[in-house]
Amino acid sequence: MAYLDNSATTRTDNQVVRVMVDVMNNIYGNPASLHGLGAKAERLVTQAREATARTLGVSPGEIVFTSGGTEGNNTAIKGVAFQYRDRGRHLITTQVEHPSVYGVCKQLEEWGWRVTYLPVDAHGRVRPADVEKAVTDETVLVTVMHVNNEVGTIQPIAEIGALLKRHPKVLFHVDAVQAFGKVDVRPKEWGVDLMTLSGHKFHGPKGVGCLYVREGVSLAPLLTGGGQEGGLRSGTHNVPGIAGFAKAALLAKERQPEAVRRWARWKASLIEQVMSRVEGARVNGDPSPEGSAPHIVSFSFPGLRSEVIVHALEEENVFVSSKSACSSKGEKPSRILLAMGLDPAAAVGSIRISMGYHTTEEEVERCAQALCKVVPRLQKIMT
């Protein structure tokens, strides 16, 4: 089997599983309890917070544990919008964001906020100058993803952060769910105020993530109750999940340098084989190693439908996805690819191949061979 849908989710690392099992068996107290078992669990959450902070180069007090990427993005965007509603009701984002950002922005529009959706170039990249040009006296937040989840294009986060320093009342949120452990992530250095991570994207457990909240930034909480996580995220801590998340984050930072070299080599080989052997194939996103994340490849095969290709590859025991896992069951062409200027035929015939730390060279080679076999066969059927 070749599992190449790691941008949808990854297999939980065995070391992470062992940590979580140990915590579930031995540290099952509620961190909010006053007795010793509670204190033991509280210490573990503190240690996990410190470890997570180290991987991002931030302070432990700036880490808020969440249930994952969707909650992190909702907390950041709605938290700013609600907290600063008297300052202004304008947000800026791009046309290529993940549904957990794009959908929040659409919801805020229904509730009276104004949102600017910036266009992107043919590679899916927003121009920093366009971001600054869109800022008004009413703007409270700019939210831009770091690595595009469908095509892997890296956004100019450092440049945008530098420009926004001229607008100190505008906060900057980055969805780094597809970036952490794959490309450099430096929220402090880049002037990022809020950053979202999700554990299951880097071989951690599902249902746990974190939101970096720069010291001094206030958010209106989405969940109220017991006041956990500094009052920003009430609810009993998922102690095993948080411990597993921290372990996975440490492993990701340790493995990133070598993994990036492997992925880049395999990605180049995959692209070369498909582009030279499959008529009409195109690579979506930025083709340069500097401009795209090394673990994601997006191909389009005009004239075919994504779901047909995905199922044909599954018959070859190769598992990939069409667009993002959160929208792959829709029948519509990819919103991301349309924003990049692809025609609907190319946008509806795209697939995403994504690698993780457990991916092997044999799996990537198997995928290349399967694509070069399956796509020409489907093209003959469709013509």
Side-chain angles (χ1 to χ4, degrees), residues 202-281:
F202 47 88
H203 300 278
K206 296 174 179 62
V208 62
C210 84
L211 177 66
Y212 158 69
V213 183
R214 180 180 60 76
E215 184 180 2
V217 173
S218 298
L219 298 178
L222 300 187
L223 301 175
T224 55
Q228 288 88 348
E229 293 302 285
L232 276 180
R233 207 273 181 181
S234 290
T236 303
H237 285 99
N238 173 8
V239 181
I242 288 170
F245 175 88
K247 180 65 178 179
L250 290 171
L251 289 172
K253 293 301 288 185
E254 177 185 325
R255 292 168 172 170
Q256 179 179 334
E258 177 54 32
V260 165
R261 284 191 285 272
R262 288 198 310 270
W263 293 332
R265 191 171 68 249
W266 299 343
K267 178 176 177 175
S269 172
L270 179 62
I271 290 174
E272 193 280 326
Q273 290 190 63
V274 172
M275 295 303 291
S276 63
R277 294 169 59 188
V278 179
E279 188 175 351

Side-chain angles (χ1 to χ4, degrees), residues 138-201:
E138 295 288 312
T139 307
V140 293
L141 180 72
V142 171
T143 176
V144 178
M145 69 193 332
H146 192 177
V147 169
N148 186 273
N149 57 301
E150 285 193 27
V151 299
T153 294
I154 299 172
Q155 297 291 357
I157 298 302
E159 290 90 333
I160 295 171
L163 289 174
L164 290 178
K165 286 181 180 175
R166 296 201 284 253
H167 306 273
K169 290 187 176 180
V170 179
L171 296 174
F172 185 24
H173 167 246
V174 173
D175 174 0
V177 164
Q178 295 290 349
F180 182 79
K182 283 86 175 188
V183 299
D184 282 345
V185 175
R186 305 175 193 170
K188 289 280 190 190
E189 184 179 327
W190 296 340
V192 174
D193 300 296
L194 301 141
M195 179 174 278
T196 302
L197 269 61
S198 180
H200 74 105
K201 303 297 188 181

Side-chain angles (χ1 to χ4, degrees), residues 30-241:
N30 187 328
S33 296
L34 295 177
H35 50 65
L37 290 176
K40 195 173 180 182
E42 185 182 24
R43 282 197 296 275
L44 185 61
V45 171
T46 298
Q47 290 167 0
R49 198 184 310 280
E50 292 170 347
T52 301
R54 285 199 301 276
T55 66
L56 288 173
V58 303
S59 302
E62 296 174 314
I63 297 296
V64 176
F65 288 116
T66 66
S67 66
T70 294
E71 184 187 323
N73 287 338
N74 271 260
T75 300
I77 299 168
K78 289 178 180 171
V80 169
F82 296 160
Q83 182 71 25
Y84 299 100
R85 66 174 72 198
D86 293 333
R87 181 188 294 178
R89 295 195 173 201
H90 176 234
L91 293 80
I92 299 169
T93 188
T94 79
Q95 296 177 355
V96 295
E97 298 299 309
H98 185 273
S100 62
V101 168
Y102 190 79
V104 174
C105 290
K106 288 294 182 185
Q107 192 176 38
L108 286 171
E109 282 187 295
E110 293 173 4
W111 293 344
W113 273 263
R114 189 167 66 84
V115 180
T116 298
Y117 300 90
L118 294 172
V120 294
D121 63 18
H123 293 157
R125 184 172 294 111
V126 68
R127 289 170 287 272
D130 288 349
V131 176
E132 189 178 31
K133 196 174 175 183
V135 173
T136 73
D137 292 340
E138 295 288 312
T139 307
V140 293
L141 180 72
V142 171
T143 176
V144 178
M145 69 193 332
H146 192 177
V147 169
N148 186 273
N149 57 301
E150 285 193 27
V151 299
T153 294
I154 299 172
Q155 297 291 357
I157 298 302
E159 290 90 333
I160 295 171
L163 289 174
L164 290 178
K165 286 181 180 175
R166 296 201 284 253
H167 306 273
K169 290 187 176 180
V170 179
L171 296 174
F172 185 24
H173 167 246
V174 173
D175 174 0
V177 164
Q178 295 290 349
F180 182 79
K182 283 86 175 188
V183 299
D184 282 345
V185 175
R186 305 175 193 170
K188 289 280 190 190
E189 184 179 327
W190 296 340
V192 174
D193 300 296
L194 301 141
M195 179 174 278
T196 302
L197 269 61
S198 180
H200 74 105
K201 303 297 188 181
F202 47 88
H203 300 278
K206 296 174 179 62
V208 62
C210 84
L211 177 66
Y212 158 69
V213 183
R214 180 180 60 76
E215 184 180 2
V217 173
S218 298
L219 298 178
L222 300 187
L223 301 175
T224 55
Q228 288 88 348
E229 293 302 285
L232 276 180
R233 207 273 181 181
S234 290
T236 303
H237 285 99
N238 173 8
V239 181

